[in-house]
Amino acid sequence: MSNNSITTPPENTNLEQGPQEPYFPYYGLYAGLSTTQFLLGTPLNLLCLFYFIVKKKRSNSRFLYLCINAVDATICCLGIFTAVSSFYDGDEMLLGPEMLCAQQGMLWNITQRLSVFLIAVLSISRS
């Protein structure tokens, strides 16, 4: 009888070693997507950020776009931490100490919410 659950370990694992982390077979896919996010998103957001900095016209929407690009560039930079750990099956490679890992998680949550907030403010300013 075969169990095809995502968290089911492969058949050849030794379960006598004690409790193990749940098996997640898509670390490679997630690592590739996170790396692409970092390699494409960071330079493109920084390019847009540079455009809005040198733009001569001063307006509220320009400032909002500037903030949105800065937050999105930060989000893309934070993606490299999850990409590297995903290449090593979820092991903490760059953020070994728990404090650094917790700070990265907190910064990730803040930037995600700030991005949604800035887009909401931009939508309200257009109406």
Side-chain angles (χ1 to χ4, degrees), residues 109-122:
N109 286 331
I110 289 170
T111 54
Q112 296 286 331
R113 291 176 180 155
L114 186 58
S115 178
V116 172
F117 172 74
L118 289 172
I119 291 172
V121 169
L122 182 66

Side-chain angles (χ1 to χ4, degrees), residues 13-120:
T13 58
N14 186 1
L15 296 178
E16 295 175 2
Q17 296 174 350
Q20 297 177 347
E21 292 291 320
Y23 178 70
F24 185 67
Y26 303 110
Y27 277 123
L29 176 66
Y30 187 69
L33 290 174
S34 296
T35 303
T36 304
Q37 169 194 346
F38 174 73
L39 293 176
L40 289 177
T42 302
L44 293 176
N45 276 306
L46 291 176
L47 181 68
C48 291
L49 188 68
F50 178 71
Y51 169 76
F52 285 115
I53 288 173
V54 298
K55 189 174 177 182
K56 299 291 181 192
K57 183 181 176 187
R58 305 284 183 212
S59 67
N60 290 337
S61 62
R62 178 195 156 272
F63 178 72
L64 285 172
Y65 281 119
L66 187 86
C67 291
I68 289 170
N69 281 313
V71 169
D72 287 347
T74 305
I75 290 170
C76 291
C77 287
L78 289 173
I80 194 64
F81 296 114
T82 54
V84 170
S85 69
S86 295
F87 277 119
Y88 294 97
D89 293 332
D91 291 338
E92 301 158 344
M93 297 303 293
L94 293 178
L95 296 174
E98 288 183 18
M99 184 175 168
L100 288 177
C101 194
Q103 289 175 349
Q104 188 266 345
M106 186 177 9
L107 187 59
W108 179 265
N109 286 331
I110 289 170
T111 54
Q112 296 286 331
R113 291 176 180 155
L114 186 58
S115 178
V116 172
F117 172 74
L118 289 172
I119 291 172

